[in-house]
Amino acid sequence: MKSRTKVVVIGGGIAGCSTLYHLTQEGWSDVVLVERDELTSGTTWHSAAQVTNFGMNQTMVGLKTHSINLYKELAEDPDYPINYHHGDGGIRLANTEAQMQGYRHFTSMARGMDVEFEVIDAEECARRHPLISTDNLIGGLWDPMDGDIDPAQLCQALARRARNAGAEVYRNTPVTGLIQHKDDTWTVETTKGNIDCDIVVNACGYRVNEVASMMGVHHPVASMEHQYFLTEEIPAIRDAGHRMPLLRCPISDYYCRQEKNGLLVGFYEQDCKTWGMDGIDPNFVNALCPDDLDRVTDVLEGAFERMPALMETGIHTVVNGPITYTIDGAPLVGPIPGKRNAYCIIGLRAGLGEGGGHGWLLAQQIVQGEAQYDTWCIDPRRFGPHSNVELTALKAIEDYQNEFRFHFPHEHRPAGRNARTTPVTPVMAAEGAEFTVVNGWERVDYIKPSADFHPSLSFDFDEAFDLVAAEVKNVQENVGLCEVNGFNRFEITGSDAAAFLDRMFCGRTPKKAGRVGLGYLLNQHGMVKGEATLANLPASDRGPDRIWYGSAAASELHDMDWLQAHLHRDEDVQIKSLTNDQTILVLAGPRARAVLSACARGDWSKEGFPWLSARECFIGYAPATVLGVSFSGELAYEIHVPNASLYAAYQALREAGETHGLKLFGARAVDAMRMEMGFLHWKADLITEFDPFETGLDRFVKLDKPEFIGKEALTARVEAGPTKRLVSLEVDCRKSPAHPGASLMLDGKVVGTVTSGDWGHRVTQNLAYAFVDPDLAGHGTDMSLDHYGAQVSARVIAPCPYDPDFTRMRS
């Protein structure tokens, strides 16, 4: 066994084998995999091993397409062919028009990744799968590339190719410890000796947190017991003359695929069960949980109704084994939060179908520093520190119970709510607030007219539309108050703080005390990595000279990792998180200055406190830091308050606002208003697939700066020319917005992809942002939006249709 290597991958299931293989494809051959037992002896061996192209976003579709293409190549390898039933086709059923509308959107989204789905009616579903009934069925989504694969053969084939490229695989080699050294390299301790390496990868399936504990971390991954059975032979399948398509049924919570001349039928029962919460037997290897078919009786009855042939055949084998889930159901693939040279590829509940693509993207991140797709949807840092095992288990149960039910826009399921709140959360709830969830934080979405107000789940504008319009109107004409909790806030101090941040940002950073600026961080490839507001706060009784760094709530762990990773060892810079200590109250509207002046001493006039200013003060008697910035396009102030004083500040603002028409507004109103201003959202419009010039951030880039991260790569990209351009669109539809991922078409070809969409209440336009081909970015260019299967006109407009000169927010 080697004593020194570049990468050690821990775990020999699909995640580990795929990562090892793809590392060799990226050119790294000095890599090893260690497995505590035999390859595929964990979850992989009992996987139902379905391989679908369906995903909830383009990154997931892209990595699944890679998996399918890779598996097809492996199956056709004359030296080591494997069993892969490719292209049997699959149907996702639906019994509501809302589900069908969702399928039409996902079809539009997949088209942008060169994947063709088909939305079919109930009769066509039955024609393609003659064993199903059309009772209580409207139609479904057809995936022509759906299929299944042999799990053990797949992993062996990947390991074989990795070995042929120079990698090594050590079986029956349990890891007993992990030690990280001062230079961020690792020693992996095993029962057969130690291996020193640069990088470690946790690919340990349901034993993920056994290895995580050796690093001193915990991952939000929980296991669920999952049952399926294999039937005896079914004559209709034997005599069909073709393989039956796969079936996934959100109506009855089951799936099935052909297995020999019978069926493999799996269940996602409501009476489900977590597994391994209090530890896992070390001898649980190639093992299963006890059968418990009584638990799936209700689901089985629905399966019988949908597929009567099941009532006429016997059960050959029952399989009940653990599968892993995360808080949102998507895996964790990428850097481990708070660690250097440590990655994970875990929580793969659909590991066999997706694992080829996950290992592909992870290998790119390890070798290249970034993957070709933006991988935020699978990034391990997308969950905050609230993600403990108890919350993970609750969300895993909920996700399991809704396995085939996609999330609708504005749908927030009930499990694990109130994980992160502030002192005014119950106050605003009592005032009628409906809440959304941002990185675990309960944030006001809009104010309900009554306690029993529940908008329908739909891709159309819902019943809250007029409520949001009224909130926007009051912000435009009077003044509104909004809580922005969870906003990521770092306090950066030290003699080198300003120089450090100047190196991190691609544009100018504020130099004067009491001033605020917006800037962008790039990765080493010159692509957009992050967005942050910087505020220079002079020394006071609240602290020394310091810089506040503010960014999206979801970026809490991501941004800390990025900043810490680029600190030089000799730099005098300290970074402290205030995210859980401070909350923002946003005061917005033409009467905002009057309200602020009524409850805070000082000169708040345009001359005394101009736009992009920062000042410490008191709101009533609550200490606060006020920034003159706006995300709404109206005169606005961000009021940052310690959570211990938040309720006092809230009361003072409400009392001061009584004579000025102050009303609460929520996140939906904010999002609608930012669309009218051309303001972008991180990980919606700001992604690592495009550089700042392609994203329309020209004014925030200063190529004449001596140094910033990504400068060399960005300069080369400028010379090569853009691949896409971000544009604003007016969509010719009053019923529904454009949703992220939807395709833009011209002459039958995909020419762009939507990143955001919403109704602009102040400009009365249906607005969208999209990345389009550069030659289509000119104002007035017409194209069509693939809008739930219909072609809707979309026209490029100026990026800020409301107050393009920013006169209102500067007033």
Side-chain angles (χ1 to χ4, degrees):
M1 190 169 73
K2 283 185 174 182
S3 60
R4 184 70 175 85
T5 190
K6 197 165 187 66
V7 182
V8 173
V9 179
I10 308 171
I14 179 59
C17 291
S18 177
T19 301
L20 189 74
Y21 165 73
H22 283 99
L23 284 170
T24 66
Q25 293 297 292
E26 289 292 322
W28 285 14
S29 59
D30 184 15
V31 293
V32 304
L33 182 150
V34 293
E35 161 57 41
R36 70 190 302 273
D37 199 83
E38 295 288 346
L39 297 185
T40 75
S41 59
T43 296
T44 299
W45 79 271
H46 61 73
S47 169
Q50 299 168 111
V51 184
T52 176
N53 234 346
F54 180 79
M56 296 291 291
N57 54 60
Q58 289 193 326
T59 296
M60 293 302 293
V61 172
L63 68 86
K64 291 184 178 189
T65 298
H66 176 83
S67 297
I68 289 171
N69 292 336
L70 172 62
Y71 298 170
K72 192 170 184 291
E73 178 188 334
L74 293 172
E76 295 170 352
D77 185 342
D79 296 328
Y80 195 85
I82 64 175
N83 294 323
Y84 176 28
H85 299 121
H86 171 263
D88 287 350
I91 310 173
R92 292 173 185 269
L93 302 179
N95 67 338
T96 69
E97 287 295 344
Q99 288 172 310
M100 293 292 285
Q101 185 184 35
Y103 289 160
R104 293 185 183 98
H105 167 67
F106 294 128
T107 298
S108 174
M109 180 266 293
R111 185 164 291 129
M113 301 300 289
D114 294 324
V115 170
E116 291 295 331
F117 294 146
E118 184 182 358
V119 179
I120 56 178
D121 61 22
E123 288 68 28
E124 185 62 18
C125 289
R127 190 189 71 77
R128 299 187 188 190
H129 199 308
L131 297 183
I132 68 171
S133 163
T134 58
D135 291 345
N136 188 31
L137 183 66
I138 294 178
L141 179 74
W142 172 260
D143 173 6
M145 295 294 103
D146 220 334
D148 67 271
I149 198 166
D150 184 293
Q153 289 182 357
L154 170 59
C155 291
Q156 293 290 353
L158 291 169
R160 172 181 174 273
R161 286 196 170 193
R163 287 192 190 99
N164 289 343
E168 296 187 15
V169 176
Y170 307 137
R171 299 171 295 120
N172 299 301
T173 308
V175 173
T176 57
L178 292 168
I179 301 172
Q180 189 163 32
H181 305 289
K182 289 184 178 180
D183 62 356
D184 293 331
T185 62
W186 293 85
T187 294
V188 180
E189 299 177 331
T190 81
T191 56
K192 294 183 178 179
N194 296 348
I195 309 174
D196 294 326
C197 63
D198 297 327
I199 295 167
V200 293
V201 177
N202 186 341
C204 294
Y206 53 68
R207 294 189 185 275
V208 50
N209 279 311
E210 293 179 9
V211 171
S213 66
M214 299 177 192
M215 292 186 184
V217 300
H218 178 272
H219 297 295
V221 176
S223 295
M224 302 292 300
E225 288 189 15
H226 177 60
Q227 296 185 92
Y228 65 79
F229 63 63
L230 306 176
T231 73
E232 302 284 359
E233 181 176 271
I234 297 175
I237 293 179
R238 180 195 62 208
D239 301 334
H242 61 84
R243 287 185 59 80
M244 289 289 165
L246 288 81
L247 198 70
R248 296 172 182 85
C249 182
I251 306 165
S252 302
D253 298 305
Y254 83 100
Y255 63 89
C256 70
R257 66 167 175 82
Q258 184 169 335
E259 179 69 16
K260 297 183 179 178
N261 285 327
L263 290 173
L264 182 155
V265 186
F267 305 97
Y268 290 95
E269 70 280 6
Q270 299 303 294
D271 184 23
C272 53
K273 185 178 180 181
T274 57
W275 180 85
M277 291 283 289
D278 298 315
I280 302 169
D281 186 339
N283 298 314
F284 191 87
V285 176
N286 279 106
L288 294 172
C289 310
D291 301 346
D292 190 3
L293 287 183
D294 289 344
R295 207 167 67 225
V296 302
T297 300
D298 57 335
V299 182
L300 188 57
E301 290 176 355
F304 284 161
E305 293 175 2
R306 179 65 56 207
M307 194 173 290
L310 288 175
M311 293 185 285
E312 301 170 4
T313 188
I315 296 175
H316 180 275
T317 304
V318 178
V319 173
N320 184 18
I323 57 176
T324 56
Y325 278 78
T326 66
I327 286 182
D328 63 0
L332 306 177
V333 180
I336 294 175
K339 292 294 177 181
R340 295 286 169 266
N341 294 340
Y343 296 81
C344 60
I345 176 168
I346 53 179
L348 276 62
R349 81 177 194 277
L352 265 294
E354 304 173 353
H358 289 310
W360 174 57
L361 294 181
L362 180 59
Q364 291 175 38
Q365 293 179 67
I366 293 172
V367 177
Q368 307 294 342
E370 205 81 67
Q372 69 184 69
Y373 302 142
D374 189 290
T375 57
W376 182 244
C377 64
I378 55 175
D379 194 298
R381 298 164 297 188
R382 68 186 186 274
F383 304 124
H386 65 291
S387 306
N388 54 48
V389 65
E390 285 77 12
L391 177 63
T392 303
L394 286 174
K395 297 302 289 185
I397 290 169
E398 182 180 66
D399 217 53
Y400 186 96
Q401 293 170 331
N402 292 278
E403 177 68 26
F404 299 129
R405 299 184 189 94
F406 54 78
H407 276 80
F408 282 91
H410 305 301
E411 179 185 6
H412 300 287
R413 292 171 179 169
R417 295 298 295 268
N418 293 319
R420 305 175 91 175
T421 60
T422 73
V424 300
T425 302
V427 177
M428 291 187 292
E431 296 192 48
E434 177 70 20
F435 293 89
T436 183
V437 182
V438 182
N439 197 18
W441 292 95
E442 296 290 327
R443 186 177 293 178
V444 175
D445 206 19
Y446 57 88
I447 305 302
K448 299 184 289 187
S450 63
D452 59 355
F453 179 79
H454 300 292
S456 55
L457 296 178
S458 171
F459 282 78
D460 293 334
F461 293 119
D462 63 23
E463 293 86 348
F465 183 89
D466 291 338
L467 303 178
V468 175
E471 291 178 11
V472 171
K473 182 178 177 61
N474 189 65
V475 170
Q476 182 185 23
E477 297 180 351
N478 300 304
V479 60
L481 183 65
C482 173
E483 182 192 40
V484 183
N485 50 6
F487 187 75
N488 186 46
R489 171 70 63 208
F490 299 148
E491 184 172 88
I492 303 177
T493 56
S495 59
D496 297 319
F500 165 66
L501 289 170
D502 192 56
R503 188 177 76 248
M504 297 298 296
F505 284 79
C506 64
R508 305 288 184 227
T509 54
K511 299 297 189 294
K512 294 182 180 179
R515 295 300 291 167
V516 179
L518 178 67
Y520 293 86
L521 304 96
L522 310 184
N523 62 24
Q524 59 270 43
H525 302 291
M527 306 304 213
V528 177
K529 186 71 174 178
E531 175 192 62
T533 300
L534 299 179
N536 282 344
L537 301 180
S540 70
D541 58 353
R542 301 181 192 177
D545 288 337
R546 57 209 182 277
I547 302 171
W548 272 14
Y549 172 111
S551 56
S555 72
E556 180 178 6
L557 299 181
H558 173 280
D559 283 15
M560 180 63 83
D561 269 4
W562 186 252
L563 294 176
Q564 294 279 11
H566 290 87
L567 267 176
H568 295 166
R569 293 184 183 277
D570 60 349
E571 282 185 303
D572 176 25
V573 177
Q574 297 81 45
I575 306 174
K576 176 185 177 182
S577 177
L578 301 178
T579 301
N580 295 294
D581 303 326
Q582 300 261 346
T583 294
I584 300 173
L585 296 173
V586 172
L587 194 65
R591 300 184 183 181
R593 179 177 287 114
V595 174
L596 185 60
S597 299
C599 61
R601 288 184 291 112
D603 180 5
W604 298 102
S605 67
K606 179 179 178 180
E607 295 73 26
F609 190 77
W611 184 54
L612 297 181
S613 294
R615 177 189 295 172
E616 292 178 336
C617 68
F618 291 89
I619 302 298
Y621 48 80
T625 303
V626 178
L627 308 185
V629 296
S630 175
F631 204 49
S632 63
E634 305 294 343
L635 173 67
Y637 304 98
E638 280 187 3
I639 304 170
H640 299 251
V641 185
N643 283 339
S645 305
L646 186 65
Y647 182 46
Y650 178 82
Q651 283 184 310
L653 289 166
R654 292 303 303 266
E655 290 171 6
E658 285 182 358
T659 59
H660 297 286
L662 184 145
K663 296 180 182 179
L664 297 178
F665 67 102
R668 289 210 206 180
V670 172
D671 205 47
M673 289 187 283
R674 69 102 182 175
M675 293 289 301
E676 296 172 306
M677 295 302 300
F679 297 156
L680 309 181
H681 262 174
W682 185 69
K683 291 309 177 188
D685 319 299
L686 302 168
I687 58 177
T688 58
E689 295 176 29
F690 302 102
D691 66 43
F693 294 112
E694 292 170 323
T695 312
L697 303 173
D698 307 43
R699 67 187 185 280
F700 295 100
V701 181
K702 302 300 179 184
L703 284 174
D704 58 348
K705 283 181 63 173
E707 178 189 11
F708 62 82
I709 293 172
K711 178 181 178 180
E712 182 178 350
L714 180 61
T715 302
R717 289 186 61 84
V718 170
E719 293 175 357
T723 60
K724 294 285 184 180
R725 291 283 192 188
L726 185 71
V727 298
S728 294
L729 299 167
E730 180 181 6
V731 179
D732 187 17
C733 177
R734 299 189 68 87
K735 181 181 179 183
S736 52
H739 289 283
S743 291
L744 291 158
M745 312 290 293
L746 189 65
D747 299 328
K749 297 180 180 179
V750 176
V751 294
T753 299
V754 171
T755 59
S756 295
D758 210 335
W759 185 265
H761 294 279
R762 294 173 297 189
V763 297
T764 62
Q765 291 176 305
N766 195 351
L767 303 172
Y769 299 150
F771 281 101
V772 302
D773 292 346
D775 58 342
L776 300 177
H779 296 177
T781 302
D782 289 309
M783 58 196 84
S784 62
L785 173 69
D786 184 352
H787 203 47
Y788 317 116
Q791 297 300 306
V792 174
S793 175
R795 180 173 57 89
V796 178
I797 61 173
C800 180
Y802 180 76
D803 192 20
D805 296 325
F806 295 175
T807 55
R808 294 178 68 88
M809 55 197 289
R810 295 173 188 263
S811 62

